[in-house]
Amino acid sequence: MDKQKRKAALKQWKHAQRADLVAGMPLSPGQLHRLLDYLDAHLKACDHTTKLTAIFLHVEQLEMDKVFSWLGEHGGYCDCEVLANLTDLDDSLQAPPPAPRIVSRQKQNRTPRSLDTAAGWNLANLPAPWRIANLYAANEPIRLTLGKKDGCTITIVESPMPPGDQASDEYWSSLWYSRTALPPRGAVQVTHGAMALPAGLRSTLVRTPAWIPVFCWVVPVPNLWNLEIRTELNRCAGDLPQIATLISCLTGGQA
């Protein structure tokens, strides 16, 4: 067998091996890659559980029992082991990246959106480290982020809160579940007046020790618009004062 035939045979064997491996996976190579990206972004210190992996699998609507069994076969018994022991496999499953597409800057639509909102705030000069995450997405609600990552975001919703009894904790816990799409696990904690805000603004914080996402809603009187704030359990305590300071700055009032 000459050299070219050996290369072709080796390539064919590797392709067949990859196909067999993918066929036996309870998640796609793309989902595995996104899982590892998610763990890399959110895993600060391993607590020897698969809590973060479980969140990802639930959002992706994957069969948890099958995926956890498969991850265990590859040495992934906790979040940090999934990240450490599945990376090489993930690399082997990724197809070669396509050639980069060069787009002329002149052809890109880089027209900033209007910054007018129902809140009436001047968003043109946001104080650092806040920034507008979707400055060029005119069809989306304006979303402010704290820093370069999306760990803490404020979405300015140009409509009233959903109908219901806002004095009821059940109203807010149901809203949290609808936003996170996570299954019930432990008690949901609802805190009214979680932040010291200017007059005419009310805040409600919703979180649970069982899951990472934390939501806080700021509602004006009257209820014509609202702020939907998303942060995370491990950074919530540090984010809330910065959020309150930003809102006070934008409203021109003092908390």
Side-chain angles (χ1 to χ4, degrees), residues 89-158:
L89 176 60
D90 172 58
D91 290 342
S92 70
L93 291 174
Q94 298 309 308
R101 180 185 176 191
I102 300 176
V103 179
S104 171
R105 288 184 178 271
Q106 288 76 12
K107 294 182 180 180
Q108 293 179 343
N109 180 13
R110 303 296 289 175
T111 303
R113 65 184 298 159
S114 169
L115 298 182
D116 294 335
T117 70
W121 293 341
N122 177 15
L123 301 177
N125 296 301
L126 282 176
W130 291 95
R131 66 184 182 89
I132 299 174
N134 53 351
L135 184 60
Y136 300 100
N139 296 326
E140 300 176 1
I142 291 179
R143 188 173 71 254
L144 311 180
T145 63
L146 181 59
K148 294 183 178 180
K149 296 185 178 181
D150 288 340
C152 176
T153 63
I154 301 176
T155 301
I156 303 176
V157 182
E158 302 277 332

Side-chain angles (χ1 to χ4, degrees), residues 126-241:
L126 282 176
W130 291 95
R131 66 184 182 89
I132 299 174
N134 53 351
L135 184 60
Y136 300 100
N139 296 326
E140 300 176 1
I142 291 179
R143 188 173 71 254
L144 311 180
T145 63
L146 181 59
K148 294 183 178 180
K149 296 185 178 181
D150 288 340
C152 176
T153 63
I154 301 176
T155 301
I156 303 176
V157 182
E158 302 277 332
S159 59
M161 293 292 295
D165 182 9
Q166 295 183 21
S168 166
D169 287 357
E170 184 178 355
Y171 171 89
W172 297 103
S173 60
S174 297
L175 200 56
W176 184 91
Y177 280 117
S178 72
R179 292 296 186 271
T180 62
L182 292 170
R185 182 188 291 178
V188 174
Q189 301 170 357
V190 178
T191 305
H192 299 281
M195 293 186 289
L197 299 174
L201 296 175
R202 305 189 308 267
S203 64
T204 303
L205 182 75
V206 188
R207 60 184 171 182
T208 172
W211 296 112
I212 290 176
V214 175
F215 275 84
C216 183
W217 284 270
V218 173
V219 183
V221 180
N223 175 20
L224 300 177
W225 51 272
N226 69 88
L227 304 180
E228 184 174 285
I229 301 164
R230 176 166 181 155
T231 180
E232 297 175 350
L233 197 63
N234 62 347
R235 58 178 293 169
C236 175
D239 287 342
L240 290 181

